[in-house]
Amino acid sequence: MNPDGSGQVPLTDNDADDVAPVWSPDGTRIVFESDRDDPRPRLCFPRCNYNLYLMNADGSHQRRLTDLPGAEWHASWSPDGQSLVFTVGDIGSATAGIYRMDIESGGMQPLLVDDFFNNGADWSPDGSRIAFNSDRDGDLDIYVMDADGSNVRQIADTGLDDYFPDWSPDGLRLTFFACRFPAIRQDIYVVNANGSGLVDLTHTPGIVDEDPLWVAGGSQILFQSDRDGNFEIYIMNADGSGARNLSQDPGPDYWPDWWTPPPATQIAFVTDRDRHTQVYLMNGDGSAQRPLLASNYDDYAPSWSPDGTQLAFYRHFSWQSWAIMLSDADGGNLRQLTGEADGLTCSFGPLWSPDGTQIAFIVEPDPRPTCEIKHTEIAVMDADGGDVRFLTANDSNELVAGWSPDMTRIYFTSDRDGEYQIYVMDADGANPQRLTELTSINSMPSLSPDGRFIAFVSDRDGNDEIYVMDADGAHPT
């Protein structure tokens, strides 16, 4: 079905139970569980001989993937779409193991097979980790292991049985549900990937909320619930607010999975081809070049939101007024985030946080007589322009450059020690540290997507050249 609940179509039609569909990362295939090979299909639950099947996105070319003794269930795709992790267990057994399969060859590899019940594996977005639930410490809790099955560590224990973790798109959080049978208490939780920040999102005694999945770039969570009398597919905001029924059908609806077609690549850039400086958009191949907005002002430094739905940039209203602006990706819904009213007369250089909830930017606190970058500080605000916090307070130029992927640090350039150097500080402005040596001018840092390296410009060999160092400043080359 479509994200608004419309366009519901069946993909399988047989006398068996076909359940738990999961989209491939590219949206062309669906893996699912079926009891069609059990001697008593549809009547065998909860002791069914489930096997994994694969089909095209339109329901065609259905084929069986697994043929192991017992049952196989709960598949999760690798980010590159070439492998699956899934659960293997004997019917009725108290133990189960997690396996990996290569889709093309069909080859299988046990990742975690021991004397415990290991289930619900979910691959992290970067492919380096696998989250799962296990009873290795008594009740079922949430665990994470490396993708090769090593380094198992507990992430969450609600005191109930914890099931089916799902990674957020940025890999920073997990959502899962917790329950205690036979009492009807099933709530949906979120927790940071390091085990901190455990929160119960639903708080619904007597109601079953289960099987949560992150969607919409991490801003919402899809789940199933019987809160309206029978099981339906719901969606809510990532903080638990705004839950609404998507499926709205008298029959029970279960096991949602979400796939969003990747948007056509768009590049935002700045040009003065129309006699003043504007933000333009073009497709990834250079075609369809067009202005983001029709404006008589000069606009600079466009910055895409992580989900690609919004653009932040800064506008020259005059040489005494620069402001951070925000628009939708098509130029609609333009709004001004900073200005004279909040003491941010000269604001520029917006930079989104990895989760899209905050924007870091540069401020000139005393722009008299004009905005000339004589003395600048770094500030952060919520993505709607609220809750502005200054992170630096010096008599120097502080220029924000990038967030760490986990949002705990901000990298920047400063001339606080004389010449421009590269620094890092905590996301609240604490613990600033210089990463480069004072023997040369070092600037324009750019953090690698995985947060391990920094590319930067330095004149250490006599002229400006590009260098790379570790994110802690070590091993510059």
Side-chain angles (χ1 to χ4, degrees):
M1 67 178 172
N2 297 324
D4 62 0
S6 65
Q8 299 179 28
V9 294
L11 295 182
T12 63
D13 184 10
N14 53 57
D15 292 329
D17 282 335
D18 299 327
V19 298
V22 185
W23 287 97
S24 64
D26 63 2
T28 64
R29 295 172 293 174
I30 297 171
V31 67
F32 62 99
E33 303 164 20
S34 178
D35 66 0
R36 62 183 68 180
D37 301 300
D38 190 277
R40 302 173 66 246
R42 188 169 281 182
L43 302 175
C44 54
F45 186 82
R47 300 175 62 85
C48 295
N49 181 23
Y50 286 113
N51 289 287
L52 297 182
Y53 276 74
L54 186 68
M55 64 181 170
N56 293 338
D58 62 0
S60 64
H61 295 99
Q62 298 181 27
R63 65 183 178 94
R64 182 171 171 174
L65 291 178
T66 59
D67 190 16
L68 296 170
E72 301 85 49
W73 68 92
H74 200 97
S76 172
W77 292 87
S78 62
D80 62 9
Q82 297 181 11
S83 302
L84 295 169
V85 288
F86 57 95
T87 305
V88 176
D90 292 331
I91 299 172
S93 173
T95 64
I98 295 173
Y99 280 65
R100 175 176 180 166
M101 167 189 279
D102 179 81
I103 294 289
E104 184 173 351
S105 69
M108 297 188 194
Q109 170 193 358
L111 294 181
L112 187 63
V113 179
D114 51 27
D115 295 330
F116 303 104
F117 189 82
N118 307 296
N119 187 26
D122 188 61
W123 229 309
S124 67
D126 64 1
S128 66
R129 295 165 292 172
I130 295 170
F132 62 101
N133 54 260
S134 175
D135 61 359
R136 60 189 52 244
D137 288 320
D139 57 2
L140 288 169
D141 300 320
I142 304 300
Y143 292 80
V144 168
M145 63 182 173
D146 294 348
D148 62 0
S150 64
N151 193 24
V152 175
R153 58 271 193 199
Q154 187 187 84
I155 298 300
D157 178 4
T158 64
L160 306 172
D161 284 327
D162 305 320
Y163 292 88
F164 301 157
D166 185 69
W167 291 93
S168 61
D170 59 10
L172 299 180
R173 293 177 290 174
L174 289 160
T175 184
F176 61 95
F177 78 91
C179 66
R180 178 71 74 201
F181 295 116
I184 300 177
R185 179 190 172 188
Q186 293 187 215
D187 285 343
I188 293 172
Y189 287 74
V190 293
V191 66
N192 294 329
N194 64 5
S196 66
L198 179 66
V199 178
D200 184 348
L201 294 183
T202 52
H203 297 287
T204 51
I207 290 173
V208 175
D209 295 326
E210 60 185 6
D211 296 337
L213 295 171
W214 294 93
V215 299
S219 64
Q220 294 178 296
I221 293 174
L222 197 67
F223 65 104
Q224 66 193 41
S225 176
D226 67 353
R227 59 182 61 190
D228 287 334
N230 71 302
F231 275 102
E232 302 276 10
I233 308 303
Y234 286 76
I235 195 168
M236 65 180 170
N237 296 326
D239 63 1
S241 65
R244 59 190 176 92
N245 187 336
L246 293 180
S247 52
Q248 299 189 38
D249 188 86
D253 301 310
Y254 302 96
W255 292 300
D257 192 51
W258 180 288
W259 180 73
T260 302
T265 300
Q266 290 194 97
I267 299 171
F269 63 102
V270 172
T271 179
D272 61 1
R273 64 183 66 180
D274 295 322
R275 292 181 293 181
H276 61 93
T277 306
Q278 288 185 288
V279 175
Y280 262 60
L281 301 177
M282 64 180 174
N283 295 335
D285 60 3
S287 64
Q289 297 185 23
R290 68 276 188 196
L292 174 69
L293 298 157
S295 167
N296 292 322
Y297 297 107
D298 289 335
D299 298 329
Y300 297 87
S303 176
W304 286 104
S305 62
D307 63 5
T309 63
Q310 300 180 92
L311 270 169
F313 57 95
Y314 77 94
R315 170 166 288 182
H316 281 209
F317 286 105
S318 71
W319 279 105
Q320 292 78 37
S321 177
W322 300 353
I324 307 295
M325 310 294 292
L326 188 64
S327 77
D328 292 345
D330 61 0
N333 194 24
L334 180 67
R335 53 269 197 208
Q336 181 176 338
L337 299 186
T338 63
E340 295 183 20
D342 48 22
L344 305 174
T345 304
C346 289
S347 307
F348 59 102
L351 188 68
W352 289 88
S353 64
D355 68 354
T357 63
Q358 301 177 73
I359 297 174
F361 60 102
I362 306 165
V363 181
E364 189 161 15
D366 186 16
R368 293 175 294 182
T370 61
C371 303
E372 296 177 356
I373 315 181
K374 303 178 295 295
H375 162 217
T376 59
E377 305 291 357
I378 296 172
V380 172
M381 62 183 167
D382 292 346
D384 62 1
D387 192 20
V388 175
R389 295 92 72 195
F390 277 78
L391 304 185
T392 60
N394 298 291
D395 294 326
S396 55
N397 277 321
E398 317 281 351
L399 306 172
V400 67
W403 296 76
S404 64
D406 63 3
M407 291 179 52
T408 61
R409 292 160 295 167
I410 291 177
Y411 293 82
F412 63 103
T413 300
S414 174
D415 62 0
R416 61 178 65 183
D417 291 322
E419 301 288 2
Y420 278 109
Q421 302 294 331
I422 298 169
Y423 295 76
V424 65
M425 62 183 168
D426 295 346
D428 62 1
N431 302 315
Q433 304 171 49
R434 180 166 46 82
L435 299 180
T436 50
E437 299 294 333
L438 295 172
T439 53
S440 59
I441 297 175
N442 304 283
S443 62
M444 301 183 182
S446 177
L447 196 66
S448 63
D450 61 6
R452 297 173 56 200
F453 304 104
I454 299 172
F456 63 102
V457 174
S458 177
D459 67 355
R460 61 188 59 193
D461 290 324
N463 59 299
D464 287 341
E465 295 182 356
I466 297 173
Y467 290 78
V468 173
M469 62 182 174
D470 294 348
D472 62 1
H475 307 116
T477 56

